[in-house]
Structure formats: C-alpha cells, structure tokens
mmCIF file of all heavy atoms in Angstrom:
data_model
loop_
_atom_site.group_PDB
_atom_site.id
_atom_site.type_symbol
_atom_site.label_atom_id
_atom_site.label_comp_id
_atom_site.label_asym_id
_atom_site.label_seq_id
_atom_site.Cartn_x
_atom_site.Cartn_y
_atom_site.Cartn_z
ATOM 1 N N LYS A 1 -28.972 -28.757 -8.869
ATOM 2 C CA LYS A 1 -27.641 -28.448 -9.464
ATOM 3 C C LYS A 1 -26.891 -29.710 -9.869
ATOM 4 O O LYS A 1 -26.343 -29.772 -10.961
ATOM 5 C CB LYS A 1 -26.796 -27.684 -8.399
ATOM 6 C CG LYS A 1 -27.018 -26.226 -8.310
ATOM 7 C CD LYS A 1 -26.110 -25.687 -7.206
ATOM 8 C CE LYS A 1 -25.613 -24.373 -7.534
ATOM 9 N NZ LYS A 1 -24.813 -23.797 -6.398
ATOM 10 N N LYS A 2 -26.955 -30.716 -9.014
ATOM 11 C CA LYS A 2 -26.324 -32.023 -9.321
ATOM 12 C C LYS A 2 -26.893 -32.669 -10.558
ATOM 13 O O LYS A 2 -26.174 -33.095 -11.449
ATOM 14 C CB LYS A 2 -26.392 -32.908 -8.093
ATOM 15 C CG LYS A 2 -25.664 -34.256 -8.256
ATOM 16 C CD LYS A 2 -25.736 -35.096 -6.998
ATOM 17 C CE LYS A 2 -24.874 -36.254 -6.997
ATOM 18 N NZ LYS A 2 -25.206 -37.253 -7.991
ATOM 19 N N LEU A 3 -28.216 -32.683 -10.633
ATOM 20 C CA LEU A 3 -28.874 -33.305 -11.776
ATOM 21 C C LEU A 3 -28.492 -32.554 -13.073
ATOM 22 O O LEU A 3 -28.235 -33.151 -14.128
ATOM 23 C CB LEU A 3 -30.383 -33.333 -11.594
ATOM 24 C CG LEU A 3 -30.924 -34.326 -10.502
ATOM 25 C CD1 LEU A 3 -32.428 -34.051 -10.281
ATOM 26 C CD2 LEU A 3 -30.695 -35.760 -10.952
ATOM 27 N N ILE A 4 -28.503 -31.166 -12.995
ATOM 28 C CA ILE A 4 -28.124 -30.387 -14.191
ATOM 29 C C ILE A 4 -26.709 -30.690 -14.581
ATOM 30 O O ILE A 4 -26.418 -30.851 -15.797
ATOM 31 C CB ILE A 4 -28.406 -28.872 -13.875
ATOM 32 C CG1 ILE A 4 -29.903 -28.616 -13.824
ATOM 33 C CG2 ILE A 4 -27.722 -28.016 -14.953
ATOM 34 C CD1 ILE A 4 -30.268 -27.173 -13.309
ATOM 35 N N SER A 5 -25.838 -30.757 -13.623
ATOM 36 C CA SER A 5 -24.364 -30.928 -13.934
ATOM 37 C C SER A 5 -24.187 -32.321 -14.594
ATOM 38 O O SER A 5 -23.250 -32.561 -15.390
ATOM 39 C CB SER A 5 -23.529 -30.841 -12.701
ATOM 40 O OG SER A 5 -23.678 -31.871 -11.834
ATOM 41 N N GLU A 6 -25.034 -33.259 -14.201
ATOM 42 C CA GLU A 6 -24.959 -34.653 -14.832
ATOM 43 C C GLU A 6 -25.773 -34.748 -16.091
ATOM 44 O O GLU A 6 -25.820 -35.831 -16.651
ATOM 45 C CB GLU A 6 -25.518 -35.664 -13.779
ATOM 46 C CG GLU A 6 -24.577 -35.760 -12.545
ATOM 47 C CD GLU A 6 -25.260 -36.606 -11.464
ATOM 48 O OE1 GLU A 6 -26.443 -37.034 -11.569
ATOM 49 O OE2 GLU A 6 -24.572 -36.858 -10.444
ATOM 50 N N GLY A 7 -26.427 -33.697 -16.529
ATOM 51 C CA GLY A 7 -27.237 -33.685 -17.728
ATOM 52 C C GLY A 7 -28.516 -34.467 -17.601
ATOM 53 O O GLY A 7 -29.098 -34.891 -18.603
ATOM 54 N N LYS A 8 -29.004 -34.645 -16.374
ATOM 55 C CA LYS A 8 -30.225 -35.387 -16.143
ATOM 56 C C LYS A 8 -31.432 -34.451 -15.969
ATOM 57 O O LYS A 8 -31.291 -33.323 -15.497
ATOM 58 C CB LYS A 8 -30.070 -36.287 -14.856
ATOM 59 C CG LYS A 8 -29.017 -37.341 -14.998
ATOM 60 C CD LYS A 8 -28.928 -38.126 -13.737
ATOM 61 C CE LYS A 8 -27.867 -39.229 -13.848
ATOM 62 N NZ LYS A 8 -27.634 -39.926 -12.547
ATOM 63 N N ASN A 9 -32.610 -34.912 -16.282
ATOM 64 C CA ASN A 9 -33.799 -34.178 -16.136
ATOM 65 C C ASN A 9 -34.127 -33.950 -14.623
ATOM 66 O O ASN A 9 -33.801 -34.763 -13.777
ATOM 67 C CB ASN A 9 -35.003 -34.927 -16.748
ATOM 68 C CG ASN A 9 -34.996 -34.943 -18.225
ATOM 69 O OD1 ASN A 9 -34.313 -34.159 -18.848
ATOM 70 N ND2 ASN A 9 -35.740 -35.850 -18.834
ATOM 71 N N LEU A 10 -34.732 -32.798 -14.353
ATOM 72 C CA LEU A 10 -35.090 -32.463 -12.993
ATOM 73 C C LEU A 10 -36.454 -33.172 -12.740
ATOM 74 O O LEU A 10 -37.315 -33.128 -13.589
ATOM 75 C CB LEU A 10 -35.222 -30.952 -12.801
ATOM 76 C CG LEU A 10 -33.956 -30.114 -13.158
ATOM 77 C CD1 LEU A 10 -34.169 -28.673 -12.767
ATOM 78 C CD2 LEU A 10 -32.715 -30.680 -12.566
ATOM 79 N N THR A 11 -36.591 -33.741 -11.564
ATOM 80 C CA THR A 11 -37.822 -34.435 -11.212
ATOM 81 C C THR A 11 -38.608 -33.589 -10.182
ATOM 82 O O THR A 11 -38.056 -33.166 -9.227
ATOM 83 C CB THR A 11 -37.584 -35.857 -10.752
ATOM 84 O OG1 THR A 11 -36.731 -35.796 -9.584
ATOM 85 C CG2 THR A 11 -37.014 -36.762 -11.799
ATOM 86 N N LEU A 12 -39.850 -33.427 -10.442
ATOM 87 C CA LEU A 12 -40.815 -32.779 -9.558
ATOM 88 C C LEU A 12 -41.936 -33.711 -9.271
ATOM 89 O O LEU A 12 -42.361 -34.494 -10.131
ATOM 90 C CB LEU A 12 -41.370 -31.529 -10.194
ATOM 91 C CG LEU A 12 -40.415 -30.377 -10.336
ATOM 92 C CD1 LEU A 12 -41.029 -29.288 -11.288
ATOM 93 C CD2 LEU A 12 -40.189 -29.741 -8.973
ATOM 94 N N THR A 13 -42.505 -33.696 -8.024
ATOM 95 C CA THR A 13 -43.575 -34.578 -7.725
ATOM 96 C C THR A 13 -44.917 -34.073 -8.291
ATOM 97 O O THR A 13 -45.837 -34.846 -8.529
ATOM 98 C CB THR A 13 -43.688 -34.808 -6.217
ATOM 99 O OG1 THR A 13 -43.855 -33.543 -5.537
ATOM 100 C CG2 THR A 13 -42.470 -35.527 -5.700
ATOM 101 N N HIS A 14 -45.045 -32.693 -8.425
ATOM 102 C CA HIS A 14 -46.311 -32.132 -8.873
ATOM 103 C C HIS A 14 -46.030 -30.721 -9.422
ATOM 104 O O HIS A 14 -45.207 -29.971 -8.856
ATOM 105 C CB HIS A 14 -47.320 -32.066 -7.745
ATOM 106 C CG HIS A 14 -48.691 -31.821 -8.188
ATOM 107 N ND1 HIS A 14 -49.153 -30.549 -8.518
ATOM 108 C CD2 HIS A 14 -49.731 -32.623 -8.298
ATOM 109 C CE1 HIS A 14 -50.458 -30.633 -8.810
ATOM 110 N NE2 HIS A 14 -50.788 -31.943 -8.653
ATOM 111 N N PRO A 15 -46.711 -30.281 -10.488
ATOM 112 C CA PRO A 15 -46.394 -28.953 -11.063
ATOM 113 C C PRO A 15 -46.861 -27.764 -10.166
ATOM 114 O O PRO A 15 -46.359 -26.672 -10.331
ATOM 115 C CB PRO A 15 -47.209 -28.928 -12.363
ATOM 116 C CG PRO A 15 -48.210 -30.028 -12.256
ATOM 117 C CD PRO A 15 -47.656 -31.007 -11.322
ATOM 118 N N ASP A 16 -47.757 -28.017 -9.249
ATOM 119 C CA ASP A 16 -48.264 -26.942 -8.404
ATOM 120 C C ASP A 16 -47.609 -26.898 -6.999
ATOM 121 O O ASP A 16 -48.021 -26.077 -6.119
ATOM 122 C CB ASP A 16 -49.794 -27.060 -8.198
ATOM 123 C CG ASP A 16 -50.498 -26.838 -9.515
ATOM 124 O OD1 ASP A 16 -50.038 -26.108 -10.340
ATOM 125 O OD2 ASP A 16 -51.536 -27.528 -9.693
ATOM 126 N N ILE A 17 -46.656 -27.746 -6.726
ATOM 127 C CA ILE A 17 -46.021 -27.828 -5.418
ATOM 128 C C ILE A 17 -45.262 -26.516 -5.126
ATOM 129 O O ILE A 17 -44.579 -25.952 -5.966
ATOM 130 C CB ILE A 17 -45.134 -29.060 -5.320
ATOM 131 C CG1 ILE A 17 -44.985 -29.487 -3.820
ATOM 132 C CG2 ILE A 17 -43.777 -28.836 -5.945
ATOM 133 C CD1 ILE A 17 -44.596 -30.954 -3.709
ATOM 134 N N THR A 18 -45.416 -26.010 -3.886
ATOM 135 C CA THR A 18 -44.763 -24.796 -3.437
ATOM 136 C C THR A 18 -44.062 -25.054 -2.148
ATOM 137 O O THR A 18 -44.452 -25.944 -1.393
ATOM 138 C CB THR A 18 -45.766 -23.567 -3.242
ATOM 139 O OG1 THR A 18 -46.648 -23.922 -2.226
ATOM 140 C CG2 THR A 18 -46.455 -23.206 -4.553
ATOM 141 N N ARG A 19 -43.017 -24.335 -1.832
ATOM 142 C CA ARG A 19 -42.291 -24.434 -0.612
ATOM 143 C C ARG A 19 -41.735 -23.053 -0.180
ATOM 144 O O ARG A 19 -41.549 -22.189 -1.069
ATOM 145 C CB ARG A 19 -41.037 -25.353 -0.721
ATOM 146 C CG ARG A 19 -41.470 -26.822 -0.942
ATOM 147 C CD ARG A 19 -42.145 -27.400 0.296
ATOM 148 N NE ARG A 19 -42.479 -28.785 0.187
ATOM 149 C CZ ARG A 19 -43.723 -29.262 -0.189
ATOM 150 N NH1 ARG A 19 -44.655 -28.375 -0.410
ATOM 151 N NH2 ARG A 19 -43.897 -30.524 -0.183
ATOM 152 N N TYR A 20 -41.533 -22.847 1.035
ATOM 153 C CA TYR A 20 -40.909 -21.612 1.614
ATOM 154 C C TYR A 20 -39.389 -21.857 1.677
ATOM 155 O O TYR A 20 -38.909 -22.913 1.917
ATOM 156 C CB TYR A 20 -41.405 -21.336 3.007
ATOM 157 C CG TYR A 20 -42.875 -20.953 3.025
ATOM 158 C CD1 TYR A 20 -43.908 -21.880 3.243
ATOM 159 C CD2 TYR A 20 -43.259 -19.599 2.908
ATOM 160 C CE1 TYR A 20 -45.200 -21.528 3.327
ATOM 161 C CE2 TYR A 20 -44.633 -19.232 2.921
ATOM 162 C CZ TYR A 20 -45.574 -20.189 3.148
ATOM 163 O OH TYR A 20 -46.886 -19.852 3.198
ATOM 164 N N PHE A 21 -38.642 -20.730 1.451
ATOM 165 C CA PHE A 21 -37.172 -20.837 1.515
ATOM 166 C C PHE A 21 -36.578 -19.652 2.346
ATOM 167 O O PHE A 21 -37.185 -18.568 2.339
ATOM 168 C CB PHE A 21 -36.620 -20.770 0.100
ATOM 169 C CG PHE A 21 -36.913 -21.972 -0.718
ATOM 170 C CD1 PHE A 21 -37.992 -22.003 -1.593
ATOM 171 C CD2 PHE A 21 -36.104 -23.102 -0.579
ATOM 172 C CE1 PHE A 21 -38.242 -23.102 -2.391
ATOM 173 C CE2 PHE A 21 -36.454 -24.242 -1.360
ATOM 174 C CZ PHE A 21 -37.448 -24.248 -2.266
ATOM 175 N N MET A 22 -35.473 -19.923 2.942
ATOM 176 C CA MET A 22 -34.660 -18.859 3.502
ATOM 177 C C MET A 22 -33.181 -19.330 3.479
ATOM 178 O O MET A 22 -32.918 -20.501 3.274
ATOM 179 C CB MET A 22 -35.104 -18.521 4.971
ATOM 180 C CG MET A 22 -34.900 -19.594 5.957
ATOM 181 S SD MET A 22 -35.326 -19.163 7.699
ATOM 182 C CE MET A 22 -36.355 -17.757 7.597
ATOM 183 N N THR A 23 -32.253 -18.330 3.626
ATOM 184 C CA THR A 23 -30.857 -18.715 3.548
ATOM 185 C C THR A 23 -30.360 -19.264 4.910
ATOM 186 O O THR A 23 -31.029 -19.016 5.950
ATOM 187 C CB THR A 23 -29.971 -17.459 3.239
ATOM 188 O OG1 THR A 23 -30.136 -16.493 4.294
ATOM 189 C CG2 THR A 23 -30.447 -16.814 1.898
ATOM 190 N N ILE A 24 -29.236 -19.847 4.869
ATOM 191 C CA ILE A 24 -28.668 -20.449 6.138
ATOM 192 C C ILE A 24 -28.395 -19.315 7.147
ATOM 193 O O ILE A 24 -28.832 -19.386 8.314
ATOM 194 C CB ILE A 24 -27.385 -21.266 5.864
ATOM 195 C CG1 ILE A 24 -27.750 -22.536 5.082
ATOM 196 C CG2 ILE A 24 -26.653 -21.562 7.140
ATOM 197 C CD1 ILE A 24 -26.531 -23.328 4.551
ATOM 198 N N PRO A 25 -27.732 -18.195 6.800
ATOM 199 C CA PRO A 25 -27.552 -17.135 7.766
ATOM 200 C C PRO A 25 -28.834 -16.519 8.343
ATOM 201 O O PRO A 25 -28.937 -16.299 9.536
ATOM 202 C CB PRO A 25 -26.775 -16.057 6.974
ATOM 203 C CG PRO A 25 -26.125 -16.773 5.846
ATOM 204 C CD PRO A 25 -27.064 -17.897 5.500
ATOM 205 N N GLU A 26 -29.856 -16.360 7.486
ATOM 206 C CA GLU A 26 -31.101 -15.831 7.908
ATOM 207 C C GLU A 26 -31.784 -16.818 8.929
ATOM 208 O O GLU A 26 -32.226 -16.389 9.989
ATOM 209 C CB GLU A 26 -32.037 -15.609 6.738
ATOM 210 C CG GLU A 26 -33.357 -14.981 7.071
ATOM 211 C CD GLU A 26 -34.231 -14.726 5.879
ATOM 212 O OE1 GLU A 26 -34.055 -15.362 4.815
ATOM 213 O OE2 GLU A 26 -35.161 -13.896 5.998
#
C-alpha cells in the first residue's frame, strides 16, 4: 500500500513465492 501510494513499483523476491495469511482477529 505504501509503495503504491508513493507511485513506486512493488518488489517481489520471486514470482512463485507463496505465503499463508489470516486476519488479526482470527
């Protein structure tokens, strides 16, 4: 979000990288 708001490109370390996510309340 910060990079987008600054108009900067998003950086990824690898195109196949995956991660698990959950919300703070969960």
